[in-house]
Amino acid sequence: MAGSNALFREIHRHYSDTEYHRSERTIQQEKFLLFNIPFNRWTMFPTAFIFQAICGSLYAWSVFNDPIDGYIYGVVLNQATGKAAATTHNAAITFYIAVGCFGLSAAINGPWLERNGPKLAAVIGATIFFLGNMIAAIGIYAKIVALLYFGYGVLGGAGLGLCYISPVSALQKWFPDRRGLAAGSIILAKILQPLIVAIGLPLTFVLGCCYFGAMLICAMVFRVPPPRFQVNGMDMYRNRVAASEKQEIGQYDGTLEANMNDRSAQDFKDPGVNMVLSSAIFSTEYRMIYIMFFGNSIAGLVFLSRLANIVKDIFGKDEAVAATIVAINGGFDLGGRLFFSTVSDRLGRKNSFFVMLCSQVVILATLPLTMEKRVYWAFLLVIWILTACYGGGFGCIPAFLCDMFGPSNIGALHGIILTAWSLAGVGGGLPFTGIYNHLLETGHTTKDPWVYSVNLHWILGVACVRFLFLLFVGTHVHDRLLPKEKGEIARIRLFGRLLKIGTFGLRWMTKETEESEWAAFVDQHRKEQATSTR
């Protein structure tokens, strides 16, 4: 009993403390890059872009499925197609394991990242990813699929999970004025197919470890803003500051206070945007965002891992064309992340998710017919839009969480919410693979669109259900913290106004009433805080 209590206390401490303590010497050192080049926040963009591009290489896994299955299990001539095909199809499971470990790693290490900074997290994550690639190469060479699962699936996924959240956490802090823009990723599938053909599978993974050197160079740039950082008239928490208080954009001031004072001062200004991490994790809004993000991820993940196979099996294209389509698909992933994240700064995070989810529902409803009729151009159109919406969800979610719960919690909350992505990959991918293999065993062939489209029915159902959760996600700090009325059950913000739902029916709150109640709430919070510190 004592041991379990100690464990729970440690878990609570881990998910409650996100304070990053730095010495004055460290703060001074972080003013400069190598060779005494002054640091500017805009140098974070290209390095974070390259870093996340490497993380996005996970999405190119579908290019490896057939070559790995054929190399490990051998191939036989398919009488129906006249082409050689692997006797067993298990390589795709590596992707699902990697996705699961990606999310778990991000969730577990998120608070640790906030306490230790993005540079150390990026270096450790890159090292684990490097080791995973080495073990995967050995597993393929020795034809031991368990080593492939452990190397790329477990270690590779865990390393990428820690790597992915490192620059995201820092960017959200450096760019309070452009939170939506501070995201992006792309995949590098086009180079993988020629590498496989030229040097073989094992060496492809070995050469892929060149990523390691690039990731280490990028990691040297990562850092978080100094205490009292201000840019374009706002601080890290998006509070407006007086003109006399403004600092140089993206530069260190040199006369800065400690982190602890910065956070305490912010909590006094606005008790909503800097919640204690454990309170944010268990809030209703966070749970709804979690489910919404799960729904946004599942369709994209399932088809991303099978896209190359679908292009080859259903539409009869060769390996080179399939690799090209996967690479272009990565461009739409990137485009969706940049487009929706940037637009969300104007349109709003919730409205952006509404557009993405609505588009996905329409696409999922029409995709089976498109595959059945084998209309290639239409398939590419809808799958690329689906991918753009999937990428848009990834691009918007960090800014959404930062708006809702504050930049001090973004690393941990973003890490935890990536488990929704992992669950979508594992929960969607494994049933997809099971149904796919079952249909092949019962007489269907890989050329039959039904082996792919049958799964779209339950995925469409998930997409429809997530709309219910999206409607009730509170996007404003007032929605979350304003005390509820007696009999109130839920609240929704429509067209900028708060609508309360309860035993009293529907009740709109005027802007004047909302501001008055919020002022009273903040005043009461300050009095309680002042009393508790005496």
Side-chain angles (χ1 to χ4, degrees), residues 98-109:
V99 167
C101 292
F102 185 110
L104 286 176
S105 173
I108 293 171
N109 293 311

Side-chain angles (χ1 to χ4, degrees), residues 16-174:
S16 297
D17 180 16
T18 57
E19 202 69 57
Y20 181 30
H21 298 284
R22 289 172 290 175
S23 65
E24 184 62 30
R25 180 182 178 183
T26 300
I27 293 175
Q28 293 298 321
Q29 289 175 341
E30 289 183 345
K31 292 180 182 180
F32 302 96
L33 301 169
L34 295 176
F35 311 112
N36 288 326
I37 300 174
F39 175 81
N40 186 283
R41 66 174 185 156
W42 289 99
T43 55
M44 285 286 295
F45 259 119
T47 51
F49 184 90
I50 295 170
F51 200 80
Q52 287 205 321
I54 296 172
C55 294
S57 63
L58 173 64
Y59 293 134
W61 184 261
S62 63
V63 175
F64 286 116
N65 285 337
D66 286 344
I68 288 177
D69 284 331
Y71 188 91
I72 293 179
Y73 300 109
V75 296
V76 295
L77 183 65
N78 189 318
Q79 299 298 329
T81 63
K83 295 182 180 180
T87 58
T88 306
H89 302 275
N90 287 329
I93 295 175
T94 310
F95 176 80
Y96 305 134
I97 295 173
V99 167
C101 292
F102 185 110
L104 286 176
S105 173
I108 293 171
N109 293 311
W112 179 88
L113 160 67
E114 292 293 340
R115 291 193 295 270
N116 293 276
K119 182 185 295 184
L120 179 61
V123 170
I124 292 176
T127 303
I128 296 173
F129 179 53
F130 170 78
L131 293 175
N133 273 269
M134 290 291 96
I135 294 174
I138 295 171
I140 294 172
Y141 179 78
K143 299 184 179 181
I144 302 174
V145 73
L147 281 181
L148 174 64
Y149 291 162
F150 176 73
Y152 197 90
V154 177
L155 292 183
L160 287 176
L162 182 55
C163 286
Y164 183 83
I165 61 176
S166 298
V168 172
S169 171
L171 283 171
Q172 291 300 310
K173 296 177 176 67
W174 279 110

